[in-house]
Amino acid sequence: MRVLFYDSKQYDIDSFKKENESFKFELNFLEFKLTKDSVELAKGYDAVCVFVNDIVTEEIINRLYEVGVKLIALRCAGYNNINFKAAFQKIHIVRVPSYSPYAVAEHAAALMMTLNRKTHKAYNRTKESNFNIGGLIGFDFYKKTIGIIGTGKIGQIFINIAKGFGMRILAFDKFPIKELDVEYTDLDTIYKESDIISLHCPLLKETEHLINENSISKMKNGVMIINTSRGGLINAKDLINGLKTRKIGSAGLDVYEEEADYFFEDFSNDMIKDDTLARLLSFPNVLVTSHQAFLTNEALKNIANTTLQNIQDFSQDKILVNEICYQCPHEGNCPKVLNKKCF
Ligand code: NAI
């Protein structure tokens, strides 16, 4: 198999080269994203490997198909960037449904703790020998209410972390898990009662802009919002308005709706043209990280291994356990149904 990687960073190259020692595919890495221009470079490859901000449109899928690509291997869990309906019966799509849910859940906890105890500010102060602690007051997590939206792999680990803090946990999921030791409730109750709300559901049509003017108006004053899932779950302009009116006390964002142009790149000598992102960055009570929740050694190794295993299964015409397909009854969000090739 010849595999072309788009949007690859040094940590991708290192982890994939190491894992590929046992698979021995021909891997080639491009720094730039898959676009309607760069798609031409896929000619002669059996598979392309893409990441969260490669937007794989119908036009790109058709061109990939024309140049002979048979497989798109996502080296991530989310798949909202792929038009998998357009790929049906043309190109198979596989993903890495779980590589380290701990990495993401722990990052959500890091955002929550940093925002609350303002350690990002304390770090800067003490670095400049400023030992004043004024303005750094936080609150105890103990006995506070946390609302968790999406109780899949990451949500469940985050629930355990929150339990460790002694928090009261409310959860919402479209497909609640009976055996899970958590209090499921409706979204309105989550909005009304939570001191912190953390998003762990996928970005789908029905979850797009879940956090908007209307849902924010139902929340507790001073609520903290944590999003390590997908940027499109939050209407960023409504979030900004909520922050300006102090309805929202703080926000920890590892993802942003329009992140594709900025995240993973260095703009420190440039300017941010996206006024919404620039405004978000200007708030002292907003902490933005650049889609790094997945970035642990364990996750990188698992991503590389599962992606290469997916490619090997495809090349050997085996069952594709990690295939996504638009015909799936759960809109591609089904971990169990896809125990065979989708077409
Ligand atoms: P998962 O598939 O195990 O869990 C998602 C949960 O959301 C499921 O329980 C599902 O029933 C639920 N859900 C589906 N539709 C819903 C709806 N309309 N309302 C509420 N819940 C709904 O996925 P996992 O592994 O826990 O990942 C969650 C999300 O985290 C992914 O969709 C992905 O976007 C994001 N992610 C972010 C990363 C980062 O680096 N920031 C890395 C990996 C994943």
Side-chain angles (χ1 to χ4, degrees), residues 51-52 76-80 95-101 103-104 107 148-156 172-177 184 187 199-204 206-207 210 227-231 233 254-255 259 264 290-295 330 333-335:
F51 196 46
V52 292
C76 53
Y79 44 81
N80 52 288
R95 65 169 179 149
V96 185
S98 177
Y99 39 87
S100 173
V104 184
H107 191 77
I148 294 172
I149 301 179
T151 58
K153 289 176 285 299
I154 296 168
Q156 286 176 40
F172 173 78
D173 198 295
K174 193 176 171 189
F175 307 103
I177 301 163
Y184 277 108
L187 280 173
L199 305 177
H200 299 288
C201 59
L203 176 61
L204 305 167
E206 70 207 52
T207 56
L210 184 73
N227 188 8
T228 54
S229 209
R230 282 293 178 267
L233 295 175
D254 187 51
V255 285
E259 69 181 47
F264 307 119
S290 183
H291 206 135
Q292 69 167 78
F294 73 99
L295 198 61
H330 293 273
N333 182 37
C334 174

Side-chain angles (χ1 to χ4, degrees), residues 188 191 209-219 235 238 247:
D188 278 358
Y191 297 146
H209 289 180
L210 184 73
I211 304 303
N212 58 31
E213 191 183 1
N214 182 37
S215 52
I216 290 169
S217 72
K218 297 175 186 170
M219 292 178 193
N235 180 325
D238 292 352
K247 179 80 183 169

Side-chain angles (χ1 to χ4, degrees), residues 27-217:
L27 310 183
N28 286 306
F29 297 90
L30 299 174
E31 275 178 29
F32 42 84
K33 294 189 181 69
L34 174 58
T35 62
K36 60 180 167 39
D37 298 321
S38 65
V39 68
E40 300 305 326
L41 297 168
K43 196 170 183 177
Y45 285 88
D46 305 294
V48 293
C49 183
V50 300
F51 196 46
V52 292
N53 289 324
D54 290 297
I55 311 299
V56 191
T57 59
E58 182 170 8
E59 186 185 359
I60 289 178
I61 282 171
N62 288 339
R63 192 61 194 138
L64 285 171
Y65 182 61
E66 280 161 17
V67 301
V69 170
K70 299 167 210 74
L71 181 73
I72 298 173
L74 287 159
R75 54 181 190 277
C76 53
Y79 44 81
N80 52 288
N81 50 324
I82 306 278
N83 186 336
F84 52 95
K85 189 172 180 177
F88 188 59
Q89 295 189 324
K90 287 184 180 156
I91 299 181
H92 291 271
I93 300 171
V94 285
R95 65 169 179 149
V96 185
S98 177
Y99 39 87
S100 173
Y102 298 97
V104 184
E106 288 168 14
H107 191 77
L111 288 175
M112 177 171 109
M113 292 173 77
T114 307
L115 273 175
N116 179 27
R117 304 305 300 270
K118 304 172 178 63
T119 40
H120 54 313
K121 288 170 160 287
Y123 174 83
N124 287 331
R125 282 194 198 178
T126 55
K127 276 276 163 201
E128 293 192 355
S129 309
N130 175 0
F131 301 104
N132 185 336
I133 59 170
L136 300 183
I137 302 172
F139 59 88
D140 290 3
F141 286 154
Y142 181 64
K143 290 209 164 157
K144 294 293 184 304
T145 300
I146 183 159
I148 294 172
I149 301 179
T151 58
K153 289 176 285 299
I154 296 168
Q156 286 176 40
I157 291 161
F158 192 67
I159 286 171
N160 286 336
I161 293 173
K163 278 185 184 167
F165 284 122
M167 302 184 86
R168 174 184 173 234
I169 299 159
L170 296 176
F172 173 78
D173 198 295
K174 193 176 171 189
F175 307 103
I177 301 163
K178 273 197 202 123
E179 308 79 51
L180 205 62
D181 179 22
V182 73
E183 183 183 342
Y184 277 108
T185 184
D186 52 71
L187 280 173
D188 278 358
T189 308
I190 289 204
Y191 297 146
K192 192 168 152 227
E193 297 188 14
S194 301
D195 300 289
I196 301 173
I197 294 174
S198 193
L199 305 177
H200 299 288
C201 59
L203 176 61
L204 305 167
K205 264 189 210 123
E206 70 207 52
T207 56
E208 194 178 359
H209 289 180
L210 184 73
I211 304 303
N212 58 31
E213 191 183 1
N214 182 37
S215 52
I216 290 169
S217 72

